Amino acid sequence: MSDMLADSPEAAPSLLSVRDLAVHIRTDGGLARILDGVSFDLPPGGTLGIVGESGCGKSTLLRAILGILPKGARVPQGQVLFQGQDILRAPVRGRIGFIPQDPYLSLNPVFRAGDQLLEGMRRHASGSRDEHRRKLVSLFQAVQLPEPENALDKYPHQFSGGQRQRLLIAAALACDPDLVVADEPTTALDVTTQLEILALLRGLTAERGMGLLFVTHDFGVLSAVCEDVAVLYAGRVADWGPTGNVLADPRHPYTRMLLACHPDRATDLVGIPGTVPAATAQPPGCRFHPRCPIARPVCSQAVPEPLRIFDGSRVACPFHADPLPEVALG
Amino acid sequence: MAELIAARDLVVELGAERGLLKRRAGVRAVDGVSLSVAAGETFGVVGESGCGKTTLARTLLGLQRESGGEIRLEGALVSGASPAQARRQRAAVQYVHQDPGAALDPWWRVGATLAEGLRIQGTTDRAEATVRIAEILRAVGLDPALGDRYPHELSGGQQRRIGLARILLLRPKLVILDEPTAGLDLSVQAAVLRLLRDLRDRFGLTYLFISHDLSVVRRVCDQVAVMYLGRIVEQAPTAELFAQPRHPYTRALLAAAPRLGAQASVPGLRGDPPSLRAIPSGCRFHPRCPLADAICAAEEPTKQSVAAGHDVCCHHWRDAA
Ligand SMILES: Nc1ncnc2c1ncn2[C@@H]1O[C@H](COP(=O)(O)OP(=O)(O)OP(=O)(O)O)[C@@H](O)[C@H]1O
Ligand SMILES: Nc1ncnc2c1ncn2[C@@H]1O[C@H](COP(=O)(O)OP(=O)(O)OP(=O)(O)O)[C@@H](O)[C@H]1O
Ligand code: SF4
Ligand SMILES: [Mg+2]
Ligand SMILES: [Mg+2]
């Protein structure tokens, strides 16, 4: 599946354009093909959600965009264009804000929060230290940290898990980025606080045309924030399209079975049978075929091409119109 | 059912500094919490970020010393001990960390971390250890080959599941799960929740289940306690709490839960997030409460019984229906 969007109807100039991206990492157990032929576009002000099972390559995708892939990683093919510039060759920092998945590992425990965040701003934003301080304090207020004026002077351990997460959200927004890539940014937040944060991010996309690439496992959050969604499975895009369509009428068997696992929907707690293949041993053909209840012989032979279905939705399964057996849907 | 662990009027002060020159008062992150968890039950704790859930967990574990109140484990008083002694007395209580990255040794292959856990628990046979590790990894939806990886070579959700597997191998009596499903996709989440249920049925485990995911809480917990600013403000059997929330904070929380396919969302809580350094008078929730009146600002509400097992701390809970 090469270019999912090459003939995309909406010709809005892209803020971010990912083309046929692959990422490989050498491991003791062999070559891990983590991403394979991932393509999508994000216009200015656009919001794209990335969902997919744990380990399917979401964080790796964000790291590739940020130019911070781990040691041993290679990009054998593909492009990441940010405002038209190929950033795999020349990474841009400062204009892309990053909210990392693990706030605990992203803050150094021995330095005050303020010193760490201000150092980041000194490198990427203009203005004086005092202006930077004021900016951070106003963002702390916006992300609902208690006592925003004092937060700069505290050490990371003096915050709760969700407060640390909000520190990093503020840090990502501090340099007025054109694009924010957020890796599960609200997992440690209660739903009322989460609501405020999501409104803040959505507001920035609407007012300033900031683009938002948002990894999440929460379909409720997805519906609330993202216009479009790409569903990844084992490093490939399975479904892509407007969020409302994908949620109301999921087509890829993986997406259908995943949605059926929602605790509000499932009759019993059963996940999708089988496990995600190790990145070093991806099955041939459609990577979902060993777990797919409607797989046919061709599925293990040919990599399915993305098919356009309606309203710009694409699905990488030739049998997406086939019904799934009841049992597969919980 | 017999009570496994209980806290009475638990108070935990954090961040107090008693230097020679500098003296800084701490904050009360947990301020008068009482709860009782029966053996075999799954007890949910929900509440605003920063309200004291992790602090409560660390105190029940004995990692954090309480400043007041008492803790009983299987009827025996265990509070008031020195930290080292507290952990020894409470070995039957284990904790699955909120931050998966904090729980794993970055220099050890995760398989070695799991084997170490088994060794502590008394399994010395190498072959048996290998089998049990492979078994638990599969149960949390991981390929046993991942045991050869270092933590930084795993995704966030994979790390979280390793952390969970490590604790479950220890076969504790009580497991405190701090956001155990954060960062897990729905399929893996279902598998993990089922594993927890199976282990509970097989080995009689008891869980204290801290979570922001209300759909999950509703699905797996028997009881739920709702915390706000260091206090439990409402507690009830799960079905009752979701059907008839009485505290205005609980109601705001349930209303804010994101729903599948829902576009617009209700407004969150009005007002500023509360600070532990300036705890409001009377009812701590009154500056943000839609039902607040003069009495709320003046008098602290006491615990009132709504129905059997359903308690609430609010002057106007009858109006919240
Ligand atoms: N440095 C590394 N060396 C080898 N394999 C790695 C490395 N980093 C990640 N992987 C593997 O690559 C795959 C993708 O990891 P990634 O972190 O991108 O997943 P993810 O989709 O973000 O998952 P999660 O939802 O659990 O965070 C995983 O199977 C992981 O084990
Ligand atoms: N060492 C410390 N010194 C001072 N205050 C602290 C310290 N550790 C935590 N706190 C504060 O205590 C409060 C309770 O923190 P705790 O980690 O228990 O919250 P939580 O309910 O687990 O929140 P979350 O859902 O965000 O994880 C927070 O407001 C936090 O800022
Ligand atoms: S006591 Fe008053 S302020 Fe507090 S929750 Fe009840 S109505 Fe609201
Ligand atoms: Mg990730
Ligand atoms: Mg916590």
Side-chain angles (χ1 to χ4, degrees):
Chain A
M1 82 188 214
S2 45
D3 235 2
M4 285 202 91
L5 288 178
D7 52 346
S8 167
E10 60 269 62
S14 284
L15 174 70
L16 178 75
S17 173
V18 174
R19 291 264 163 269
D20 204 20
L21 182 71
V23 174
H24 294 173
I25 302 184
R26 232 184 325 282
T27 71
D28 294 349
L31 190 67
R33 294 168 205 278
I34 302 200
L35 294 177
D36 187 22
V38 172
S39 299
F40 59 82
D41 270 289
L42 185 70
T47 45
L48 175 67
I50 310 273
V51 302
E53 91 293 342
S54 168
C56 74
K58 302 176 298 294
S59 299
T60 305
L61 173 63
L62 299 193
R63 284 194 206 112
I65 292 167
L66 290 157
I68 51 168
L69 283 169
K71 272 208 263 329
R74 245 170 24 92
V75 181
Q77 66 178 54
Q79 280 186 315
V80 178
L81 302 174
F82 175 67
Q83 296 173 334
Q85 200 182 331
D86 187 346
I87 55 176
L88 290 178
R89 313 256 128 44
V92 286
R93 301 302 298 277
R95 276 183 297 153
I96 305 183
F98 176 40
I99 310 174
Q101 181 170 11
D102 194 333
Y104 184 86
L105 296 180
S106 310
L107 288 164
N108 187 328
V110 303
F111 295 109
R112 290 178 198 275
D115 294 339
Q116 301 184 51
L117 304 194
L118 286 166
E119 173 58 19
M121 288 184 82
R122 190 182 64 74
R123 279 186 282 146
H124 299 301
S126 59
S128 69
R129 194 171 165 96
D130 254 5
E131 283 162 5
H132 292 170
R133 272 181 171 275
R134 275 198 297 279
K135 174 91 193 210
L136 281 176
V137 170
S138 76
L139 280 166
F140 289 165
Q141 203 149 21
V143 297
Q144 308 257 303
L145 276 183
E147 308 177 66
E149 317 77 35
N150 300 335
L152 285 170
D153 298 326
K154 292 195 199 167
Y155 290 93
H157 78 272
Q158 294 176 309
F159 294 95
S160 77
Q163 288 166 349
R164 277 194 290 269
Q165 195 165 44
R166 283 175 278 160
L167 277 178
L168 292 168
I169 294 173
L173 300 174
C175 299
D176 295 321
D178 298 324
L179 170 68
V180 165
V181 297
D183 203 350
E184 307 193 40
T186 60
T187 47
L189 301 182
D190 62 280
V191 291
T192 55
T193 307
Q194 171 172 277
L195 215 65
E196 303 287 338
I197 303 284
L198 299 181
L200 172 71
L201 291 173
R202 274 237 310 248
L204 290 172
T205 64
E207 290 155 24
R208 291 205 3 246
M210 182 184 89
L212 182 62
L213 195 60
F214 195 103
V215 172
T216 180
H217 289 298
D218 187 327
F219 285 92
V221 168
L222 187 73
S223 331
V225 194
C226 300
E227 282 144 40
D228 294 313
V229 57
V231 182
L232 288 188
Y233 183 79
R236 291 205 188 123
V237 180
D239 259 314
W240 180 90
T243 306
N245 293 357
V246 174
L247 291 189
D249 186 15
R251 289 305 184 90
H252 197 283
Y254 170 63
T255 313
R256 285 191 264 170
M257 291 169 80
L258 185 67
L259 275 164
C261 295
H262 195 284
D264 289 350
R265 288 190 177 173
T267 44
D268 193 16
L269 295 169
V270 273
I272 301 174
T275 51
V276 180
T280 44
Q282 302 283 15
C286 170
R287 289 180 173 178
F288 189 58
H289 86 259
R291 302 171 78 186
C292 181
I294 58 167
R296 304 193 199 177
V298 65
C299 301
S300 57
Q301 289 148 21
V303 176
E305 284 299 316
L307 302 171
R308 186 187 310 193
I309 40 179
F310 51 86
D311 286 352
S313 294
R314 308 296 176 94
V315 55
C317 170
F319 307 114
H320 64 86
D322 290 7
L324 292 186
E326 279 295 312
V327 283
L329 296 174
Chain B
M1 259 186 298
E3 178 178 274
L4 183 68
I5 196 164
R8 224 186 60 208
D9 299 327
L10 200 63
V11 176
V12 185
E13 208 178 279
L14 295 178
E17 286 169 26
R18 291 193 187 83
L20 273 178
L21 301 170
K22 207 163 122 190
R23 202 170 282 251
R24 186 177 157 90
V27 293
R28 288 184 161 200
V30 171
D31 196 1
V33 164
S34 301
L35 54 78
S36 162
V37 182
E41 116 179 304
T42 302
F43 189 100
V45 178
V46 302
E48 195 165 35
S49 168
C51 72
K53 302 177 296 297
T54 298
T55 306
L56 174 64
R58 289 174 49 82
T59 311
L60 292 177
L61 270 163
L63 291 176
Q64 169 70 49
R65 196 161 184 174
E66 66 286 337
S67 347
E70 53 178 53
I71 301 171
R72 286 178 185 275
L73 183 61
E74 298 184 295
L77 190 69
V78 292
S79 45
S82 71
Q85 199 192 354
R87 258 324 278 151
R88 228 174 305 122
Q89 279 177 337
R90 288 179 238 177
V93 186
Q94 293 288 340
Y95 179 56
V96 179
H97 215 285
Q98 179 174 14
D99 301 285
L104 298 173
D105 187 326
W107 306 109
W108 282 34
R109 291 182 198 271
V110 295
T113 299
L114 295 177
E116 172 70 8
L118 272 180
R119 201 186 55 72
I120 293 172
Q121 190 250 334
T123 306
T124 44
D125 185 69
R126 285 284 279 290
E128 188 194 336
T130 311
V131 170
R132 282 193 51 197
I133 289 171
E135 185 186 71
I136 193 87
L137 286 176
R138 266 191 222 99
V140 294
L142 293 174
D143 187 331
L146 289 186
D148 290 334
R149 300 265 188 97
Y150 290 97
H152 75 269
E153 296 175 330
L154 296 174
S155 79
Q158 289 166 342
Q159 287 178 4
R160 184 174 296 282
R161 285 177 278 162
I162 298 279
L164 183 67
R166 186 175 74 89
I167 295 304
L168 294 177
L169 278 176
L170 297 173
R171 301 257 166 89
K173 285 186 182 153
L174 173 69
V175 192
I176 303 183
L177 300 153
D178 204 345
E179 302 288 347
T181 60
L184 300 184
D185 63 273
L186 294 176
S187 169
V188 166
Q189 171 177 301
V192 163
L193 294 176
R194 199 183 34 185
L195 170 70
L196 290 174
R197 192 181 63 190
D198 290 350
L199 289 174
R200 177 172 92 160
D201 295 348
R202 255 167 68 202
F203 301 109
L205 296 192
T206 305
Y207 302 118
L208 190 76
F209 196 99
I210 301 173
S211 179
H212 289 305
D213 190 327
L214 298 170
S215 297
V216 168
V217 165
R218 182 175 203 165
R219 189 81 196 216
V220 303
C221 294
D222 303 305
Q223 304 272 331
V224 183
V226 182
M227 282 184 77
Y228 185 81
L229 205 58
R231 295 255 163 111
I232 292 178
V233 296
E234 183 162 15
Q235 186 188 322
T238 307
E240 164 128 354
L241 188 94
F242 278 87
Q244 299 205 306
R246 293 298 192 156
H247 196 282
Y249 173 67
T250 312
R251 297 170 70 81
L253 193 67
L254 299 188
R259 283 182 187 77
L260 265 181
Q263 188 55 249
S265 29
V266 293
L269 280 173
R270 61 182 188 156
D272 290 331
S275 159
L276 286 171
R277 296 216 175 263
I279 291 180
S281 63
C283 171
R284 299 171 170 223
F285 187 56
H286 88 260
R288 304 169 85 188
C289 180
L291 296 183
D293 61 10
I295 186 174
C296 301
E299 269 174 50
E300 171 124 41
T302 53
K303 186 158 95 180
Q304 307 196 29
S305 175
V306 175
H310 186 173
D311 295 323
V312 64
C313 296
C314 168
H315 293 300
H316 301 304
W317 65 268
R318 283 189 180 78
D319 303 332

